[in-house]
């Protein structure tokens, strides 16, 4: 089989260590050198020096959780790096060791048998971290909202069927009054705003409940968590806006598509991580 990369290395990356196997082809033979390095910054710098001293031009590693990222950041610019999907380079059954895995990766790389996974540039990686963190915050807000609904149902407060958005102006006003100890359905219903006022009689009936200090404690706890998460989400969105500035042209192009908001555009750019300036009109993005 033809050798594509004569001097390359396979890296078996773990949380605390990296096993490196340098595959060095001479005129008549193949030599392999194996060394284990720590994943601390000093250890990864030593790994880079070790690879460069052996004349390695390429190195490949598996995409193992987030453990590959520090290794990639240190070696990037020193060698040509290849990130492999673990399923695509799975070794044959048998005795499995870190050394065997590193040697197997090196052999596949030497013969050009690894399909490299896409690794976006650093700005896109940072934007991706922000958008995925925002997604998690939104999920947590939904979870705490559901717990508020559960507490209201337990107190026999039946407003969830009348209020479309429990965290809207009317919902927050009513929940806030319940937390403060207000139990009069008439006074609680008077806090309704907008079109909810048209359901005044139904609202009064729904607000007849048996709310206790336990329910008030839970409502206050979950509402406080939601407000803290919302503040964090706002900070994230501001940061996302700043991170998006180099891609502002592409983002403005995306939001011209019906149904694509600024946040959706940020998520799209973060996930695909490519230069979309080649699209002259939004119609090419559909």
């Amino acid at each position: 089989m033809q050798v594509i990369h004569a001097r390359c290395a396979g890296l078996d990356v773990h949380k605390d260590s990296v096993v490196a196997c340098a595959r060095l082809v001479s005129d008549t033979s193949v030599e392999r050198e194996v060394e284990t390095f720590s994943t601390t910054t000093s250890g990864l710098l030593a790994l880079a020096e070790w690879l460069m001293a052996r004349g390695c031009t390429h190195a490949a590693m598996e995409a193992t959780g987030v453990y590959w990222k520090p290794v990639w950041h240190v070696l990037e610019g020193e060698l040509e790096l290849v990130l492999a999907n673990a399923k695509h380079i799975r070794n044959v059954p048998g005795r499995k060791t870190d050394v065997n895995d590193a040697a197997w990766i090196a052999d596949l790389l030497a013969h050009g048998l690894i399909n490299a996974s896409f690794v976006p540039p650093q700005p896109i990686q940072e934007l991706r971290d922000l958008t995925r963190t925002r997604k998690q915050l939104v999920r947590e807000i939904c979870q705490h909202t559901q717990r508020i609904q559960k507490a209201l149902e337990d107190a026999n407060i039946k407003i969830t069927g009348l209020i479309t958005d429990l965290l809207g102006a009317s919902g927050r006003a009513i929940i806030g009054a319940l937390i403060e100890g207000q139990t009069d359905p008439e006074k609680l219903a008077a806090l309704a705003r907008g079109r909810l006022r048209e359901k005044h009689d139904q609202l009064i009936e729904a607000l007849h409940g048996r709310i206790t200090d336990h329910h008030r404690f839970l409502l206050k706890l979950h509402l406080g968590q939601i407000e803290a998460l919302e503040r964090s989400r706002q900070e994230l969105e501001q940061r996302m806006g700043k991170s998006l500035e180099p891609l502002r042209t592409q983002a403005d192009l995306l939001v011209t598509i019906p149904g694509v908001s600024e946040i959706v555009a940020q998520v799209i750019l973060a996930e695909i991580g490519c230069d979309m300036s080649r699209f002259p009109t939004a119609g090419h993005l559909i």
Side-chain angles (χ1 to χ4, degrees), residues 10-128:
L11 308 177
D12 191 32
V13 181
H14 301 275
K15 180 180 179 180
D16 299 317
S17 64
V18 180
V19 178
C21 176
R23 188 182 191 277
L24 313 173
V25 178
S26 60
D27 293 335
T28 57
S29 62
V30 176
E31 296 182 5
R32 291 181 177 83
E33 296 185 29
V34 179
E35 191 69 43
T36 301
F37 299 87
S38 168
T39 53
T40 61
T41 301
S42 59
L44 295 179
L45 290 173
L47 168 63
E49 293 179 2
W50 186 82
L51 293 173
M52 297 302 294
R54 280 146 188 80
C56 293
T57 59
H58 293 70
M61 67 192 81
E62 292 181 357
T64 308
V66 298
Y67 302 139
W68 64 271
K69 290 187 176 182
V71 182
W72 184 281
H73 295 327
V74 171
L75 297 182
E76 191 175 20
E78 301 291 341
L79 305 93
E80 187 73 25
L81 297 178
V82 176
L83 183 67
N85 187 316
K87 292 182 180 179
H88 297 166
I89 61 172
R90 184 172 296 170
N91 204 342
V92 294
R95 296 181 61 187
K96 186 178 185 302
T97 67
D98 297 340
V99 173
N100 287 344
D101 284 347
W104 175 253
I105 295 172
D107 287 340
L108 292 178
L109 177 62
H111 295 95
L113 297 177
I114 297 179
N115 292 323
S117 299
F118 171 67
V119 179
Q122 188 65 26
I124 295 297
Q125 291 186 42
E126 293 176 357
L127 180 60
R128 183 177 291 184

Side-chain angles (χ1 to χ4, degrees), residues 22-279:
R23 188 182 191 277
L24 313 173
V25 178
S26 60
D27 293 335
T28 57
S29 62
V30 176
E31 296 182 5
R32 291 181 177 83
E33 296 185 29
V34 179
E35 191 69 43
T36 301
F37 299 87
S38 168
T39 53
T40 61
T41 301
S42 59
L44 295 179
L45 290 173
L47 168 63
E49 293 179 2
W50 186 82
L51 293 173
M52 297 302 294
R54 280 146 188 80
C56 293
T57 59
H58 293 70
M61 67 192 81
E62 292 181 357
T64 308
V66 298
Y67 302 139
W68 64 271
K69 290 187 176 182
V71 182
W72 184 281
H73 295 327
V74 171
L75 297 182
E76 191 175 20
E78 301 291 341
L79 305 93
E80 187 73 25
L81 297 178
V82 176
L83 183 67
N85 187 316
K87 292 182 180 179
H88 297 166
I89 61 172
R90 184 172 296 170
N91 204 342
V92 294
R95 296 181 61 187
K96 186 178 185 302
T97 67
D98 297 340
V99 173
N100 287 344
D101 284 347
W104 175 253
I105 295 172
D107 287 340
L108 292 178
L109 177 62
H111 295 95
L113 297 177
I114 297 179
N115 292 323
S117 299
F118 171 67
V119 179
Q122 188 65 26
I124 295 297
Q125 291 186 42
E126 293 176 357
L127 180 60
R128 183 177 291 184
D129 287 340
L130 295 175
T131 57
R132 292 181 178 180
T133 302
R134 181 189 178 277
K135 181 179 180 180
Q136 185 60 38
L137 291 180
V138 171
R139 285 179 176 175
E140 292 178 17
I141 290 173
C142 291
Q143 291 172 352
H144 284 288
T145 303
Q146 291 171 350
R147 293 187 180 109
I148 286 178
Q149 294 174 344
K150 181 179 179 180
L152 291 174
E153 287 293 332
D154 191 60
N156 207 31
I157 303 294
K158 301 290 186 177
I159 61 172
T160 54
L162 299 174
I163 300 179
T164 304
D165 182 7
L166 193 60
L167 297 180
S170 298
R172 289 184 188 243
I174 292 173
I175 293 172
L178 289 170
I179 292 172
E180 293 298 323
Q182 182 60 259
T183 57
D184 187 342
E186 290 280 354
K187 294 181 178 179
L188 291 171
L191 298 173
R193 303 175 187 179
R195 298 183 62 181
L196 188 60
R197 293 178 179 177
E198 300 173 5
K199 303 177 182 179
H200 185 74
D201 293 339
Q202 294 174 269
L203 197 56
I204 291 176
E205 182 64 24
L207 288 167
H208 277 286
R210 301 182 64 183
I211 190 165
T212 65
D213 288 339
H214 173 69
H215 297 127
R216 294 189 185 95
F217 171 79
L218 291 177
L219 291 175
K220 183 177 180 179
L221 176 68
H222 293 305
L223 187 60
Q225 292 293 318
I226 288 172
E227 291 172 348
L229 289 167
E230 287 176 337
R231 288 193 295 269
S232 297
R233 185 183 64 184
Q234 291 174 359
E235 292 178 8
L236 265 177
E237 290 173 354
Q238 292 175 0
R239 181 78 176 185
M240 287 162 59
K242 294 179 181 178
S243 299
L244 196 66
E245 284 308 314
L247 300 172
R248 176 50 55 188
T249 301
Q250 293 92 325
D252 291 343
L253 188 61
L254 279 169
V255 297
T256 62
I257 300 174
V260 176
S261 65
E262 179 80 5
I263 295 297
V264 173
Q266 292 172 350
V267 173
I268 292 173
L269 290 172
E271 292 303 321
I272 64 175
C274 68
D275 181 7
M276 298 174 62
S277 60
R278 66 181 184 274
F279 295 103

